[in-house]
Amino acid sequence: MKNVFLIITFLGVISSYAQENTFPEGTKPASTNVIGAQYPRIDSERKAYFRINAPAADSISVSLGNLALTKDEKGVWTGVTKPLDPGFHYYTLKINGVDVDDPNSETFYGMSRIASGIEIPEDGVDFYDIKDVPHGNIESHWYLAKSTGNMRLAYVYTPPGYDKNTKERYPVLYLQHGMGEDRRAWGNQGRANFILDNLIAEGKAKPMIIVMEDGGIAQGFGSPKRPQDKNFWDSFEDIMIKDLIPNIDSHYRTLSDSSHRAIAGLSLGGTQTYQISQSNLDKFGNIGIFSAPFGFPGIETGYNGLLKKPEEFAKKVKLFYVSMGSKEGARSGRSTHEELDKAGIKNVYYEAPGTAHEFQTWRKSLYGFAQLLFKD
Amino acid sequence: MKNVFLIITFLGVISSYAQENTFPEGTKPASTNVIGAQYPRIDSERKAYFRINAPAADSISVSLGNLALTKDEKGVWTGVTKPLDPGFHYYTLKINGVDVDDPNSETFYGMSRIASGIEIPEDGVDFYDIKDVPHGNIESHWYLAKSTGNMRLAYVYTPPGYDKNTKERYPVLYLQHGMGEDRRAWGNQGRANFILDNLIAEGKAKPMIIVMEDGGIAQGFGSPKRPQDKNFWDSFEDIMIKDLIPNIDSHYRTLSDSSHRAIAGLSLGGTQTYQISQSNLDKFGNIGIFSAPFGFPGIETGYNGLLKKPEEFAKKVKLFYVSMGSKEGARSGRSTHEELDKAGIKNVYYEAPGTAHEFQTWRKSLYGFAQLLFKD
């Protein structure tokens, strides 16, 4: 009986392999492809090779460098990008002017849509690879947010051993995604769980819980607010302070004092981190700002004037970490760091070499930040 | 500062709304749409309305009934399906002959690809809705499978209270997806977690752990087998028996005798359930077969001849549940049920009214199966 399934599967495999049985030398399928998809492929120079069978299409381009593919006499479209930065990149295809996802790629919520993504390996960098070490879990955690009246979903990373060490309590990092992304981004695109698994296995980071929520972006149930709604921004602060933190502290074995709680975010999530942390220093004793060009409240008035009182600020904030990619403008982090330094506010600054406003910058930022967190 | 983000967000919202500010009467966006997407929409007759702005495309069709959209003078393509069956349906768009996903839809792994999906509500049916009840978690569980030599990922549902009731042990259901799907299907498409959350809240099902693995489909790490490889089928049995079950029993607080372990699956997963259960009745005392047209081993030789010995079979198998949708052929379940009845093998048969080889059948099958499981 099972042969019927085998035959069906075979036919699919044969048809997808028949179109191409030799591949450009030195290339491998991207790890972000769906199972079995041979394209896009990546070579050792970090160029990506595309190949799409579409005889009836009149134009196909790839958003990575706006690469126009060319069509051969059989209707197969091919093209090769310039060398791409290492790390994860969103992309889409444009087929006859319509922006669509690449059927060969796994999909990722980003750019306010479901997008394709391509992972470009970085030589010698494996801190976000999955390894044979104890693994924590990312779990879906539904809870009723009274401030919005709807059920909301947070993704929660619990570190290796959390289920076994039932007497142990853990510090918590609230980790925010960027604009047009959601709770899935730090796990799927950022590989936050593998970064922590590996750091914890090497003894470089304390086991911690990571909570990933939706930054106030409307969720698909109930009647949530959208950015254009009144008090949208305040309402995420309400969700975080009045609903999410108490819920996490009651459902997970947390250490609930401010020195064992951190908030960090990338881009828009960094802006939110500034906003929420400055009015809630009793809740957050550790702050991480990754590539946030907007939102630094300034030395004069920020953090209720505490940035002018370095000693008082240091009593409340154990770690103030600012980062960006070296291809970003100074405003995304370096200028904040310099202002903080000038004001005598202790801070840690990191600049990811050779990367832009992308996840490789933020993976490396988390890698550095997590190693400094919760060191008693 | 934050106004800059607001303006950017506003522009996006305005441009996407400007194209259409009136909608067909009585329609609502599908719940499977990405946040903010107004199309596809569904009316009270379960028809789906599509609208895609694509002036440069020459042809667009939707795989739901192979609906060809029509283009207006502005380059906007629209079309309405016939009434669709309730429940979840995979679909894709064909744009100038290229099968792609709908950028307006969340994506789902099925049909051996990343596909779009549309949820059609069923009047009066809410057993898979998310409600204000205690929620279990679905967590990603990585483990090293020695029989394949690679890290594998299972999705594990733990019921509400699992983390709190640290003295309690739970029965386990191993729940398999269909062909061309993976570990994500039962949660994302099947809403298995909400089905169990709701049943448990009503006291209709015992709290249980559900383990969802990949049915032997190659996973993206290491060098896993593919269906065309030698011993592919046996190797999934190896993974299940030698790796997955021992791992789950050591990492979770399980009841590990066969009467507290179940295996079930849909379609190809049902075929696997037949195959694995019949040679491992010491492991599985509860069996569920949902819409599996292939794999029933027959009364004469199946289950090592035990189907000819109803009393002995009943001592080993507490529950044998067979189901299918009424729009499927008898071979998908009814004929198996009839053969079992004729042989005097106690079994429970369920036929989902008015649905086909689709998730609405399997959601209802799980809903029925779970209520009968693990009743001591």
Side-chain angles (χ1 to χ4, degrees):
Chain A
M1 297 298 179
K2 68 193 188 193
N3 288 336
V4 175
F5 282 115
L6 278 178
I7 288 163
I8 294 168
T9 310
F10 260 128
L11 289 175
V13 169
I14 289 165
S15 72
S16 65
Y17 274 61
Q19 64 176 33
E20 175 74 320
N21 48 27
T22 58
F23 300 116
E25 207 182 319
T27 62
K28 286 182 191 168
S31 65
T32 27
N33 291 0
V34 294
I35 287 290
Q38 295 297 324
Y39 285 87
R41 305 176 70 84
I42 300 163
D43 70 13
S44 61
E45 294 176 336
R46 303 197 308 257
K47 292 182 291 193
Y49 294 65
F50 286 83
R51 179 188 173 91
I52 295 162
N53 186 20
D58 302 310
S59 70
I60 301 185
S61 64
V62 181
S63 65
L64 296 163
N66 204 18
L67 171 73
L69 302 187
T70 55
K71 189 182 191 178
D72 71 12
E73 69 284 356
K74 290 179 184 163
V76 175
W77 297 75
T78 54
V80 183
T81 66
K82 293 182 181 161
L84 299 167
D85 284 349
F88 174 89
H89 309 289
Y90 296 111
Y91 75 97
T92 55
L93 302 179
K94 194 170 270 190
I95 300 177
N96 274 48
V98 190
D99 265 315
V100 293
D101 294 324
D102 183 348
N104 284 335
S105 168
E106 286 280 349
T107 47
F108 302 86
Y109 188 74
M111 315 192 299
S112 298
R113 60 171 287 169
I114 297 287
S116 300
I118 190 165
E119 178 72 39
I120 309 293
E122 179 168 357
D123 275 352
V125 172
D126 68 353
F127 70 87
Y128 49 79
D129 286 356
I130 177 169
K131 301 178 186 173
D132 181 15
V133 298
H135 287 280
N137 296 320
I138 291 182
E139 52 190 43
S140 56
H141 178 70
W142 288 94
Y143 69 103
L144 180 66
K146 288 177 188 154
S147 57
T148 62
N150 68 325
M151 297 297 302
R152 290 181 64 93
L153 176 57
Y155 277 17
V156 179
Y157 168 84
T158 54
Y162 179 86
D163 281 347
K164 294 279 165 106
N165 309 326
T166 54
K167 305 279 184 210
E168 199 169 334
R169 293 190 160 269
Y170 295 82
V172 186
L173 164 60
Y174 290 81
L175 188 59
Q176 294 299 122
H177 57 79
M179 185 162 64
E181 296 169 344
D182 71 6
R183 75 193 89 88
R184 294 172 280 193
W186 267 111
N188 290 349
Q189 290 95 298
R191 303 175 76 87
N193 52 323
F194 301 131
I195 293 171
L196 266 291
D197 290 344
N198 292 334
L199 283 175
I200 292 167
E202 292 181 60
K204 289 182 179 170
K206 294 267 183 186
M208 65 185 79
I209 293 167
I210 303 180
V211 178
M212 296 162 278
E213 235 270 31
D214 264 6
I217 302 302
Q219 291 198 347
F221 298 93
S223 53
K225 287 186 177 172
R226 289 163 190 276
Q228 66 272 30
D229 293 335
K230 200 182 160 196
N231 299 332
F232 167 81
W233 288 76
D234 292 341
S235 81
F236 182 64
E237 186 174 332
D238 276 357
I239 291 169
M240 171 77 88
I241 301 297
K242 295 182 185 166
D243 288 305
L244 183 59
I245 291 176
N247 183 282
I248 294 294
D249 282 338
S250 80
H251 280 79
Y252 292 86
R253 297 190 314 280
T254 63
L255 293 163
S256 59
D257 62 303
S258 69
S259 69
H260 291 97
R261 192 181 294 119
I263 182 169
L266 72 90
S267 193
L268 175 65
T271 307
Q272 291 182 318
T273 296
Y274 280 131
Q275 188 205 3
I276 293 173
S277 64
Q278 67 171 320
S279 42
N280 295 283
L281 283 186
D282 58 322
K283 300 279 191 308
F284 300 103
N286 306 274
I287 297 164
I289 311 283
F290 310 156
S291 300
F294 305 108
F296 178 58
I299 300 297
E300 284 307 308
T301 57
Y303 289 85
N304 296 317
L306 275 188
L307 295 182
K308 289 188 293 186
K309 301 170 184 169
E311 281 177 31
E312 277 188 51
F313 189 79
K315 277 182 202 157
K316 289 177 181 284
V317 178
K318 291 170 68 183
L319 175 62
F320 200 129
Y321 182 97
V322 179
S323 71
M324 65 173 217
S326 70
K327 287 187 175 178
E328 297 187 80
R331 189 188 169 83
S332 290
R334 196 185 315 123
S335 64
T336 300
H337 155 63
E338 287 166 357
E339 284 189 62
L340 291 171
D341 267 6
K342 201 180 294 175
I345 295 289
K346 195 178 153 195
N347 67 95
V348 176
Y349 177 64
Y350 169 71
E351 205 168 289
T355 54
H357 199 72
E358 297 226 43
F359 262 102
Q360 200 73 341
T361 299
W362 306 321
R363 290 169 176 173
K364 291 179 178 178
S365 297
L366 176 62
Y367 178 74
F369 182 59
Q371 295 185 55
L372 302 173
L373 272 180
F374 310 129
K375 299 284 164 110
D376 294 312
Chain B
M1 297 296 181
K2 68 194 186 191
N3 287 337
V4 176
F5 281 114
L6 278 178
I7 288 163
I8 295 169
T9 309
F10 259 128
L11 290 175
V13 169
I14 289 164
S15 73
S16 66
Y17 274 60
Q19 62 176 33
E20 174 75 319
N21 47 28
T22 58
F23 300 115
E25 207 181 320
T27 62
K28 286 181 191 168
S31 65
T32 27
N33 290 359
V34 295
I35 288 290
Q38 295 296 323
Y39 285 87
R41 306 176 71 83
I42 301 164
D43 71 12
S44 61
E45 295 177 336
R46 304 197 307 258
K47 292 183 289 191
Y49 294 65
F50 287 83
R51 180 187 173 91
I52 295 162
N53 186 21
D58 303 310
S59 71
I60 300 185
S61 64
V62 181
S63 66
L64 297 163
N66 204 18
L67 170 72
L69 303 187
T70 54
K71 189 182 190 177
D72 71 11
E73 69 284 355
K74 289 179 185 162
V76 175
W77 297 74
T78 54
V80 183
T81 67
K82 293 181 182 159
L84 299 168
D85 284 349
F88 174 90
H89 309 289
Y90 296 112
Y91 75 97
T92 55
L93 303 180
K94 194 170 270 191
I95 300 178
N96 274 48
V98 190
D99 264 315
V100 293
D101 294 324
D102 184 347
N104 283 336
S105 168
E106 285 280 349
T107 48
F108 303 87
Y109 188 74
M111 316 192 301
S112 298
R113 60 172 288 169
I114 296 287
S116 300
I118 189 164
E119 178 73 39
I120 308 293
E122 179 168 357
D123 275 351
V125 172
D126 67 353
F127 68 89
Y128 49 78
D129 285 357
I130 177 168
K131 300 178 186 173
D132 181 17
V133 298
H135 288 278
N137 296 320
I138 291 182
E139 51 189 43
S140 56
H141 178 69
W142 287 96
Y143 69 102
L144 180 66
K146 288 177 186 153
S147 57
T148 61
N150 68 323
M151 298 296 302
R152 289 181 66 91
L153 176 58
Y155 276 17
V156 180
Y157 168 83
T158 54
Y162 180 85
D163 282 347
K164 293 277 165 107
N165 309 327
T166 55
K167 304 279 185 209
E168 200 169 334
R169 294 189 160 269
Y170 295 83
V172 186
L173 165 60
Y174 290 81
L175 189 59
Q176 295 298 124
H177 57 80
M179 185 162 65
E181 297 169 345
D182 70 7
R183 74 193 88 87
R184 296 172 278 193
W186 267 111
N188 291 349
Q189 290 94 298
R191 304 177 75 88
N193 51 322
F194 301 131
I195 293 172
L196 265 292
D197 290 343
N198 293 335
L199 283 175
I200 292 166
E202 291 181 62
K204 290 182 178 171
K206 294 266 183 186
M208 65 184 78
I209 293 167
I210 303 179
V211 178
M212 296 162 277
E213 235 270 32
D214 264 7
I217 303 301
Q219 290 198 346
F221 298 94
S223 53
K225 288 186 176 172
R226 290 162 191 277
Q228 67 272 29
D229 293 336
K230 200 180 158 197
N231 300 332
F232 166 82
W233 288 76
D234 292 341
S235 80
F236 182 64
E237 186 174 331
D238 276 357
I239 291 169
M240 171 76 87
I241 301 297
K242 295 180 185 168
D243 287 306
L244 183 59
I245 292 176
N247 183 282
I248 294 295
D249 282 339
S250 80
H251 279 80
Y252 292 86
R253 296 190 313 279
T254 64
L255 293 164
S256 58
D257 61 304
S258 69
S259 69
H260 290 97
R261 192 182 293 119
I263 182 168
L266 72 89
S267 192
L268 176 64
T271 307
Q272 291 182 318
T273 296
Y274 280 132
Q275 189 205 2
I276 293 173
S277 64
Q278 67 171 319
S279 42
N280 295 284
L281 283 186
D282 58 320
K283 300 280 191 307
F284 300 103
N286 306 275
I287 297 165
I289 310 283
F290 311 157
S291 300
F294 305 108
F296 178 59
I299 301 296
E300 284 306 309
T301 57
Y303 290 84
N304 297 316
L306 276 187
L307 294 182
K308 291 187 294 187
K309 302 171 184 168
E311 281 176 31
E312 278 186 50
F313 188 80
K315 278 182 203 157
K316 290 179 181 283
V317 177
K318 292 169 67 182
L319 175 62
F320 200 128
Y321 182 97
V322 179
S323 71
M324 63 173 217
S326 70
K327 289 188 174 177
E328 298 187 81
R331 189 189 169 84
S332 291
R334 196 186 315 122
S335 64
T336 300
H337 155 64
E338 287 166 357
E339 284 189 62
L340 291 171
D341 267 5
K342 202 179 294 175
I345 296 289
K346 194 178 153 194
N347 67 94
V348 176
Y349 177 63
Y350 169 70
E351 206 168 289
T355 53
H357 199 72
E358 297 225 43
F359 262 102
Q360 200 72 342
T361 299
W362 307 322
R363 290 169 176 173
K364 291 179 179 178
S365 297
L366 176 62
Y367 178 75
F369 182 59
Q371 295 185 56
L372 302 173
L373 272 180
F374 310 130
K375 299 283 164 109
D376 295 313

